[in-house]
Each structure stands twice: as structure tokens, then as C-alpha cells.
């Protein structure tokens, strides 16, 4: 999760939304990414989507774990389900509920770490950038 947090901080430094993600298998880092929606002017580039894209083509995602600093939204959860990523570990879901129930209904193991560092980073960002955040989650 620490690498995902570092990715989130990198996104914030770039002027973007501070959400980071990591894909791993057997303790080995396969890819990482952060929300690039603002930087690339692309609404699809949430952290999880960027991370999966950065992994490149894979025969399968068996035994992988997707770490995200924030509970994935429905778009990102759909990618998790589509590629059969079996486990998602989220840093927090207080600032954004995400699609936990959807993931669980589709046989994805979901662990919410409720990390104060992730929550505080998002709370601070949302307080300073409420319109950008609402745009990111489709609430404008």
C-alpha cells in the first residue's frame, strides 16, 4: 500500500487527484499508477485504470491483488471484475464509498484498511478542490 500512497502523492504534486494504485502478485510489484484524469484530460484515467494499463497485456490476473488508496468506483470495479482480479485492498472508503458491494457480489475479496493517511489526503484535497472532485466522481 505504501507504493500506492506514493503514487497518490505524485498525482497531487502533478496537479491531479491524489489516488494511487498498485497491482501485485506473490508480493511482486507488477505495475503502479495514479489518477491522471486532470493531467491527461481523460476521464477514464482513474488510478486503477492507469495501473492496469501500465501492467500491459497479461495472460491472466490470477492471484493478483489490486491496492488502491481509495475504494474503487464502479468503472474501476468493472475492470477488476472483467479481468478477474480476485482481491482489492483499499486504503479507505470514508471519503468515497465506491463499489465495494458490487465487487463482493462478483466474488472479489475486498479489504478496507481504513488508513488515516489515505483519508486525510483525500479530505484535504476535497476541501480545496470540491468541484474537481465532484467532476471526477460524476456528481456535477
Amino acid at each position: 500500500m505504501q507504493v500506492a500512497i506514493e503514487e497518490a502523492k505524485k498525482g497531487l504534486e502533478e496537479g491531479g487527484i491524489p489516488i494511487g494504485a498498485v497491482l501485485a502478485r506473490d508480493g511482486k510489484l507488477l505495475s503502479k499508477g495514479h489518477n491522471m484524469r486532470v493531467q491527461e484530460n481523460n476521464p477514464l484515467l482513474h488510478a486503477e485504470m492507469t495501473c492496469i494499463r501500465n501492467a500491459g497485456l497479461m495472460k491472466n490476473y490470477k492471484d493478483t491483488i489490486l491496492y488502491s488508496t481509495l475504494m474503487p468506483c464502479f468503472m474501476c470495479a468493472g475492470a477488476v471484475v472483467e479481468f478477474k482480479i480476485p482481491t482489492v485492498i483499499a486504503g479507505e472508503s470514508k471519503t468515497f464509498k465506491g463499489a465495494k458491494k458490487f465487487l463482493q457480489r462478483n466474488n472479489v475479496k475486498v479489504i478496507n484498511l481504513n488508513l488515516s493517511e489515505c483519508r486525510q489526503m483525500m479530505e484535504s484535497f476535497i476541501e480545496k478542490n470540491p468541484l474537481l472532485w465532484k467532476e471526477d466522481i460524476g456528481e456535477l
Side-chain angles (χ1 to χ4, degrees):
M1 181 59 74
Q2 191 56 46
V3 175
I5 292 170
E6 291 168 16
E7 282 292 308
K9 290 177 181 177
K10 183 177 178 183
L12 184 61
E13 290 169 6
E14 294 172 353
I17 299 168
I19 304 169
V22 166
L23 187 66
R25 178 184 282 137
D26 298 323
K28 180 183 174 192
L29 178 71
L30 299 175
S31 68
K32 59 186 179 178
H34 54 274
N35 188 303
M36 297 286 293
R37 204 179 74 65
V38 173
Q39 300 91 313
E40 298 288 330
N41 193 34
N42 185 331
L44 301 178
L45 293 183
H46 285 195
E48 301 87 346
M49 302 295 271
T50 302
C51 180
I52 293 168
R53 178 193 70 183
N54 291 344
L57 295 176
M58 296 176 63
K59 289 182 182 179
N60 68 66
Y61 292 81
K62 183 180 177 183
D63 301 324
T64 60
I65 298 173
L66 180 71
Y67 294 83
S68 179
T69 57
L70 186 65
M71 188 64 69
C73 70
F74 280 93
M75 175 179 69
C76 297
V80 167
V81 170
E82 177 68 24
F83 294 115
K84 298 176 179 56
I85 296 171
T87 305
V88 170
I89 300 178
E92 68 102 357
S93 65
K94 184 177 179 192
T95 59
F96 180 71
K97 275 187 147 182
K100 179 180 180 179
K101 290 180 183 178
F102 170 79
L103 288 165
Q104 291 172 325
R105 281 194 309 270
N106 284 279
N107 303 312
V108 176
K109 180 180 180 180
V110 180
I111 299 168
N112 185 353
L113 299 177
N114 295 308
L115 297 174
S116 61
E117 181 176 12
C118 294
R119 187 186 72 253
Q120 290 169 358
M121 187 169 21
M122 285 306 301
E123 285 174 345
S124 176
F125 177 81
I126 292 167
E127 184 180 323
K128 294 174 186 171
N129 304 280
L131 293 178
L132 182 57
W133 173 242
K134 285 182 179 184
E135 181 183 328
D136 188 63
I137 59 174
E139 290 188 357
L140 274 184

